[in-house]
C-alpha cells in the first residue's frame, strides 16, 4: 500500500520505517529542511536501537523515502498518517493541537480518491471529529475517512513494539477504512496480533487511559517505597510479592525518582484537562500528577540528606540524564529537576549519560559534562544513579571508590544491593530499602 507519514519525529519515523519493512511504499514528510536533509544523508535524528539499520535497509529497498513537500505522496496515498507533536499547551496543560490541525488543512487540499486519514499522534477525545470537520469544510467533495490508530511504542524498544505489539487499536466504523487498516497491518497476522476495532472516540481515550494507568502504577510503587523506608520493609520484595498476582503483574512496579519522558507527563495532564472540561474529573490521575511532580523535586533533598544536609562546596556526580535508558529523550526527565536543585543548594554537578548529553546541554545550565562514568565520579563527594543504563549496572566499584573524594552513593534506581555496597565500604542509600 502507499503511505504518507506526516512528521518524522519519534513516532512518525519509527512507524514509517516499520510500515516500509512490512513491504508498503512509505514517504515520510516533514517541514524541517534540516531533518529531511539529515535523513536523506542516512543520519537518524533520534536515538532508537536498530532504527538506523532499519531505515537504511528500506531506503535501499526503495520502500522508504523522505520529502519536504508532501503533495505528491499525499495525492498517491491510500493512507495518510498524522504523526506530529502534541506538546502540552502553555498555561493550561491541554494538548496543543496546532500541528495536527495544520496537517489536516494540508491533507484536505491534496487527497485524491478514497483516502484514509489516520491520527497516529496522541490526541484528546474528539480530535478525530475536528480533523474530519476541517477536511470536510475545505473539501466538501473529498472521499475520505478519519481513523484513530494510537501508538503504544516504548522508547528503547519501539521497533519490537511495532512489529510484535500486544494489540493494535483502530478507531473507525467505516467499512472501507477498516479494510485499508487491516491490509496495512496484515503482516502482523503471522503473530496473531489482536486488532481491536472501536469507535473513534473510544480509540482516542484508550491511549490516554493506558498511559494514565501505567503512570498511576509507577506512582503507587513509589509511594509504597516511601512507606517501606518508614517501616523497615523492602520495596523490591513488595513489588515482586504483588506483581506475581496475575491481576496486577510485575511491569511498571520499579520504584524510582518519578516518571518522565515524552508521554506520561504530557498525557496524564491532558487527560486531567479533558476530564475536567467534560465535567467528569479523574481524581486518581490528578493526584498521580501532583505526587510525581513533587517526587522529582524531592530527589535532590535525598542526596543532601546523605551528606548531612549541606551541599555547599560538595561535588555531585550524576550517572544518567535521560528519563530512561536506550533513548536520548530528555523530556520531563527527573534530571531536569534534580540537577538545578542540587546546584541551587550549592553543589558542583558533573554528569555523564551515554546518549543524552547533547540534548541535556541545551537544558541544564551549570552542569559539567564528562566523557564517561569514571570521569564523572572523579573528585565527587557523592555519586547519584539517575538512569539505569546497562553500563551503570556493572561499574568497577573499587575503582569508583578510589576516584571519589568520599565513597557515597545514592542509587535512585536500586541497581545495587545495599549489603554489597556497604561491604565494599560505601555509604549507600537507595529507594524503599533499609
Amino acid at each position: 500500500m502507499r503511505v504518507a507519514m506526516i512528521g518524522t519525529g519519534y513516532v512518525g519515523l519509527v512507524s514509517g520505517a516499520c510500515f516500509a519493512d512490512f513491504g508498503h511504499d512509505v514517504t515520510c514528510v516533514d517541514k524541517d529542511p534540516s531533518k529531511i536533509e539529515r535523513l536523506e544523508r542516512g543520519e537518524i535524528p533520534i536515538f532508537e536501537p536498530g532504527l538506523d539499520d532499519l531505515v537504511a535497509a528500506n531506503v535501499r529497498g526503495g520502500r522508504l523515502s523522505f520529502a519536504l513537500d508532501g503533495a505528491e505522496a499525499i495525492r498517491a496515498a491510500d493512507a495518510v498518517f498524522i504523526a506530529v507533536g502534541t506538546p502540552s499547551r502553555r498555561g493550561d496543560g491541554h494538548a496543543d493541537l496546532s500541528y495536527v490541525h495544520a496537517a489536516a488543512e494540508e491533507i484536505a487540499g491534496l487527497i485524491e480518491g478514497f483516502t484514509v486519514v489516520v491520527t497516529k499522534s496522541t490526541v484528546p477525545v474528539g480530535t478525530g471529529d475536528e480533523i474530519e470537520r476541517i477536511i470536510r469544510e475545505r473539501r466538501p467533495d473529498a472521499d475520505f475517512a478519519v481513523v484513530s490508530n494510537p501508538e503504544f511504542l516504548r522508547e528503547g524498544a519501539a521497533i519490537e513494539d511495532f512489529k510484535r505489539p500486544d494489540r493494535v487499536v483502530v478507531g473507525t466504523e467505516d467499512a472501507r477504512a477498516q479494510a485499508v487498516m487491516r491490509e496495512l497491518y496484515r503482516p502482523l497476522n503471522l503473530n496473531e496480533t489482536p486488532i481491536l476495532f472501536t469507535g473513534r472516540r473510544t480509540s482516542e481515550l484508550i491511549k490516554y487511559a493506558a498511559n494514565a494507568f501505567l503512570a498511576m502504577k509507577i506512582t503507587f510503587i513509589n509511594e509504597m517505597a516511601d512507606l517501606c523506608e518508614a517501616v523497615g520493609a523492602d520495596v523490591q520484595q513488595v513489588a515482586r510479592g504483588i506483581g506475581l498476582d496475575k491481576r496486577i503483574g510485575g511491569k511498571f512496579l520499579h520504584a524510582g525518582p518519578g516518571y518522565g519522558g515524552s508521554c506520561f507527563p504530557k498525557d496524564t495532564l491532558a487527560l486531567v484537562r479533558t476530564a475536567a472540561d467534560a465535567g467528569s474529573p479523574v481524581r486518581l490521575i490528578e493526584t498521580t500528577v501532583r505526587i510525581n511532580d513533587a517526587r522529582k523535586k524531592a530527589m535532590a533533598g535525598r542526596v543532601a540528606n546523605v551528606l548531612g544536609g549541606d551541599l555547599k562546596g560538595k561535588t555531585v556526580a550524576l550517572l544518567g540524564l535521560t528519563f530512561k535508558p536506550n533513548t536520548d529523550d530528555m523530556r520531563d526527565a527527573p534530571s531536569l529537576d534534580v540537577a538545578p536543585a542540587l546546584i541551587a543548594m550549592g553543589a558542583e554537578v558533573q554528569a555523564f549519560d551515554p546518549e543524552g548529553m547533547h540534548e541535556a546541554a541545551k537544558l541544564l545550565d551549570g552542569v559539567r559534562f564528562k566523557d564517561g562514568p569514571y570521569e564523572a565520579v572523579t573528585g565527587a563527594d557523592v555519586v547519584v544513579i539517575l538512569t539505569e543504563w546497562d553500563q551503570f549496572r556493572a561499574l568497577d566499584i573499587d575503582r569508583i571508590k578510589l576516584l571519589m573524594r568520599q565513597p557515597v552513593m545514592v542509587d535512585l534506581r536500586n541497581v545495587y544491593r545495599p549489603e554489597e555496597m556497604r561491604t565494599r565500604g560505601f555509604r549507600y542509600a537507595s529507594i524503599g530499602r533499609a
Side-chain angles (χ1 to χ4, degrees):
M1 301 199 81
R2 293 162 298 180
V3 175
M5 187 72 61
I6 310 300
T8 61
Y10 184 84
V11 173
L13 188 55
V14 171
S15 300
C18 287
F19 274 133
D21 211 47
F22 284 170
H24 302 303
D25 182 0
V26 180
T27 302
C28 290
V29 181
D30 203 289
K31 296 293 187 188
D32 185 342
S34 64
K35 264 191 180 181
I36 296 299
E37 287 168 11
R38 289 182 66 188
L39 287 165
E40 288 180 334
R41 289 197 303 266
E43 298 175 12
I44 306 301
I46 58 173
F47 176 75
E48 176 63 32
L51 184 58
D52 50 354
D53 291 337
L54 188 71
V55 168
N58 284 283
V59 169
R60 282 196 307 272
R63 295 179 297 274
L64 180 63
S65 60
F66 306 100
L68 197 58
D69 180 355
E72 185 178 337
I74 293 169
R75 287 191 189 99
D78 299 297
V80 181
F81 282 79
I82 299 175
V84 296
T86 54
S88 290
R89 197 165 65 192
R90 287 187 179 182
D92 61 8
H94 281 284
D96 182 352
L97 298 177
S98 57
Y99 300 114
V100 172
H101 294 162
E105 288 277 359
E106 181 179 6
I107 291 164
L110 295 169
I111 52 176
E112 294 180 358
F114 178 67
T115 307
V116 180
V117 179
V118 189
T119 310
K120 201 70 173 164
S121 303
T122 300
V123 295
V125 176
T127 302
D129 300 352
E130 181 63 12
I131 293 171
E132 184 172 337
R133 185 197 66 74
I134 289 170
I135 298 175
R136 185 69 65 201
E137 191 175 87
R138 176 95 184 269
R139 285 279 305 281
D141 62 314
D143 188 12
F144 71 98
V146 176
V147 170
S148 167
N149 176 217
E151 55 86 14
F152 300 100
L153 306 179
R154 295 168 300 160
E155 293 190 38
I159 295 169
E160 179 72 11
D161 285 349
F162 195 99
K163 292 188 169 188
R164 293 172 181 79
D166 297 326
R167 77 291 199 200
V168 173
V169 176
V170 178
T172 181
E173 292 168 358
D174 184 293
R176 290 186 298 169
Q178 285 191 10
V180 169
M181 298 304 289
R182 285 189 190 279
E183 183 62 22
L184 280 170
Y185 285 107
R186 184 167 53 83
L188 297 181
N189 291 348
L190 208 60
N191 301 329
E192 299 184 344
T193 300
I195 299 183
L196 175 64
F197 284 96
T198 72
R200 194 164 60 201
R201 286 185 165 225
T202 299
S203 173
E204 290 168 341
L205 187 54
I206 285 170
K207 169 64 176 180
Y208 276 116
N211 278 356
F213 187 86
L214 295 174
M216 189 168 60
K217 198 172 179 183
I218 292 169
T219 304
F220 171 82
I221 202 63
N222 283 340
E223 291 221 296
M224 288 299 103
D226 292 346
L227 180 58
C228 283
E229 291 175 10
V231 301
D234 186 320
V235 72
Q236 289 184 310
Q237 293 179 25
V238 169
R240 179 164 170 75
I242 64 175
L244 288 170
D245 186 328
K246 290 182 174 61
R247 296 169 300 173
I248 297 172
K251 292 184 178 179
F252 287 84
L253 288 179
H254 302 288
Y259 62 76
S262 61
C263 294
F264 288 0
K266 171 177 70 74
D267 294 351
T268 50
L269 197 55
L271 180 59
V272 165
R273 296 293 182 262
T274 298
D277 288 350
S280 181
V282 283
R283 303 298 188 203
L284 282 172
I285 310 307
E286 291 174 12
T287 304
T288 294
V289 170
R290 286 198 302 272
I291 292 170
N292 190 67
D293 287 347
R295 184 173 191 82
K296 289 192 287 187
K297 289 177 172 60
M299 290 299 108
R302 284 178 174 254
V303 178
N305 289 342
V306 171
L307 293 179
D310 185 8
L311 289 180
K312 286 179 183 173
K314 299 293 196 300
T315 298
V316 180
L318 299 182
L319 296 186
L321 297 168
T322 54
F323 85 96
K324 64 180 287 188
N326 296 321
T327 180
D328 59 356
D329 198 338
M330 287 291 299
R331 285 174 285 186
D332 280 295
S335 62
L336 298 179
D337 287 298
V338 174
L342 292 171
I343 292 169
M345 292 178 184
E348 295 284 340
V349 176
Q350 47 199 45
F352 169 73
D353 187 280
E355 293 293 339
M357 290 200 294
H358 178 72
E359 286 301 311
K362 303 173 188 175
L363 302 168
L364 293 172
D365 292 328
V367 174
R368 297 198 300 261
F369 298 100
K370 300 294 182 176
D371 293 331
Y374 299 104
E375 289 82 358
V377 303
T378 299
D381 295 281
V382 56
V383 55
V384 181
I385 298 181
L386 260 179
T387 313
E388 65 279 28
W389 285 90
D390 283 348
Q391 66 176 268
F392 301 155
R393 293 177 178 273
L395 294 166
D396 185 335
I397 298 300
D398 293 330
R399 181 181 174 189
I400 285 179
K401 184 178 177 182
L402 289 171
L403 291 170
M404 293 182 69
R405 191 175 295 155
Q406 51 181 318
V408 183
M409 178 182 284
V410 178
D411 183 355
L412 298 179
R413 297 293 183 176
N414 289 351
V415 172
Y416 292 95
R417 294 186 181 92
E419 61 275 11
E420 180 186 343
M421 293 303 293
R422 292 186 190 112
T423 301
R424 305 286 280 275
F426 270 76
R427 196 185 323 159
Y428 176 83
S430 57
I431 300 286
R433 302 185 293 181

